Amino acid sequence: MSGLQVRAAGTFCTPVMCVKPNWPNALALSVLPMYCIDMIDFRRLEAFCKVYELRSFSRAGDELFLSQPTISAHVSALEKELDVRLLDRMGRGVLPTPAGEILYRHAMTAFASLETAHLEISQLQDIITGEVPVGASTIPAQYLLPPVMAAYMRSFPEVQLQLRTGDTGEIIRKVGAGELTLGVVGAHDQQPDIVFTPIIDDELIIIGAPDFAPRSGSVSCESLADMPWVVREAGSGTWKIFSAALGTHGIDCRSFRPVACVDSSQSVIQCVRAGLGVSVTSRIAVAEFLSRGELVEITVDGLDVRREFFCIYHSRRQLFPAARHFIEFLTKKCR
């Protein structure tokens, strides 16, 4: 029986996926335990899947550290090999064809099976190895995780940690959907299948350029509405907790005067340093700027906003040794 089998170049020829010989008409893939004659190149399939996910050849190239022409060549070769169009090029965008939808679905199953096999074999050898996709909101990604990841990699060099950033809401959604193994976020959400483990305490403070320092030493909650604000995007955990804290004082953040809306803590800090307005952020993120006098803390009468950062994972998803060890390592380092 002939067909098309997926394998990684240079690895043993274990059958993973086979395209039936009448592919152009049936448009069907089967995960079958058979040996096939023609092999789908692993790199081509990886390139196709990344274009499918990002809907962009250039962005797929950035993710895989390949040029756009290389990505295009991989996908074109795969289409030629299968004798079917997998992606429709729509100007700058890309849309999968029905055949592309089928191939992507089964490719993900094949990739997951290969990774599971690799990890299970590693467990037999008592080796901590494999890829661990870790998502983090901006403050953990920029200030908490880099030194922890570096220390972890020194202890477990066979592990590949993949850090992906997003706002708190996005990271929680991706962990819930199985797109990320772990996440580190700054807000707790009511998700029945997500485990939230506290790892470190934090304080939210209002910051401004030195010109914004109050003459009286502090300001009232009511006066915050009169200030120009650099605000965060809707999914920000920092902004969510700050809004809730002000709500207990009868203050609605929607009454604030926004001068800019940004999507990262670094952008907040730079906008505030430039004198654009005031904002709220983690004390962890601005400690050095405060000590150098580049920013000032604006104290608000009666307002004390504390929070925790959490390591999160899906309770019904199997965690392999690398992920379990990283959770333990992270919790120990942050405490």
Side-chain angles (χ1 to χ4, degrees):
M1 182 177 294
S2 64
L4 294 160
Q5 176 196 355
V6 179
R7 66 175 176 86
T11 63
F12 57 87
C13 187
T14 299
V16 177
M17 181 187 298
C18 179
V19 183
K20 293 181 179 179
N22 58 339
W23 157 261
N25 296 321
L27 293 177
L29 286 169
S30 299
V31 179
L32 298 173
M34 63 179 66
Y35 289 92
C36 305
I37 297 174
D38 300 318
M39 305 301 175
I40 294 180
D41 188 282
F42 181 90
R43 295 165 299 176
R44 295 174 183 174
L45 192 61
E46 183 182 38
F48 159 74
C49 289
K50 191 59 66 174
V51 175
Y52 177 99
E53 292 166 358
L54 300 177
R55 298 295 198 265
S56 167
F57 283 87
S58 59
R59 291 173 60 195
D62 292 340
E63 285 276 327
L64 296 176
F65 301 102
L66 297 172
S67 67
Q68 181 176 337
T70 299
I71 294 291
S72 297
H74 280 329
V75 174
S76 295
L78 186 59
E79 290 178 323
K80 183 178 180 181
E81 189 173 4
L82 297 177
D83 193 26
V84 67
R85 181 177 292 278
L86 299 171
L87 299 168
D88 286 328
R89 286 72 167 172
M90 311 291 290
R92 294 185 177 180
V94 177
L95 290 175
T97 65
E101 296 281 2
I102 294 171
L103 180 61
Y104 177 80
R105 184 171 69 251
H106 287 281
M108 289 299 97
T109 300
F111 288 154
S113 296
L114 286 172
E115 180 65 13
T116 299
H118 182 215
L119 292 173
E120 288 179 356
I121 292 170
S122 297
Q123 289 183 69
L124 294 176
Q125 300 171 323
D126 197 27
I127 299 174
I128 306 301
T129 186
E131 296 181 352
V132 182
V134 181
S137 53
T138 55
I139 290 173
Q142 293 165 357
Y143 304 100
L144 294 181
L145 286 176
V148 175
M149 293 172 65
Y152 182 82
M153 293 298 294
R154 286 193 290 269
S155 299
F156 303 103
E158 298 299 320
V159 176
Q160 291 184 328
L161 295 175
Q162 301 174 347
L163 180 58
R164 301 171 188 173
T165 60
D167 62 43
T168 291
E170 179 184 358
I171 299 302
I172 292 174
R173 286 193 301 273
K174 287 188 174 182
V175 170
E179 298 176 36
L180 293 170
T181 303
L182 308 173
V184 180
V185 295
H188 192 292
D189 201 358
Q190 297 300 322
Q191 297 284 342
D193 293 327
I194 306 287
V195 177
F196 286 78
T197 302
I199 56 173
I200 193 171
D201 297 325
D202 186 28
E203 179 186 6
L204 297 184
I205 61 173
I206 298 175
I207 57 170
D211 290 346
F212 283 88
R215 296 177 181 177
S216 61
S218 64
V219 299
S220 66
C221 285
E222 290 75 17
S223 66
L224 295 177
D226 299 325
M227 298 179 180
W229 279 85
V230 177
V231 301
R232 287 290 303 274
E233 78 283 4
S236 164
T238 295
W239 198 256
K240 179 180 178 180
I241 291 173
F242 180 62
S243 299
L246 286 181
T248 63
H249 292 264
I251 307 297
D252 188 343
C253 285
R254 289 175 295 184
S255 67
F256 286 4
R257 179 164 60 93
V259 293
C261 179
V262 299
D263 62 1
S264 73
S265 301
Q266 285 284 7
S267 296
V268 164
I269 293 170
Q270 295 307 319
C271 287
V272 172
R273 285 182 67 204
L276 195 58
V278 302
S279 193
V280 62
T281 192
S282 163
R283 184 178 292 279
I284 294 173
V286 293
E288 293 184 7
F289 296 96
L290 293 174
S291 65
R292 293 196 299 261
E294 297 177 29
L295 294 173
V296 296
E297 178 181 354
I298 300 174
T299 304
V300 181
D301 298 332
L303 186 65
D304 184 22
V305 187
R306 307 279 174 167
R307 69 166 171 186
E308 293 176 305
F309 285 108
F310 301 90
C311 178
I312 65 173
Y313 60 91
H314 201 293
S315 62
R316 294 189 292 168
R317 185 176 184 185
Q318 181 181 7
L319 294 178
F320 286 98
R324 291 200 306 271
H325 278 75
F326 184 71
I327 293 174
E328 296 170 3
F329 193 90
L330 174 64
T331 303
K332 182 179 179 180
K333 285 290 185 181
C334 289
R335 286 294 182 185

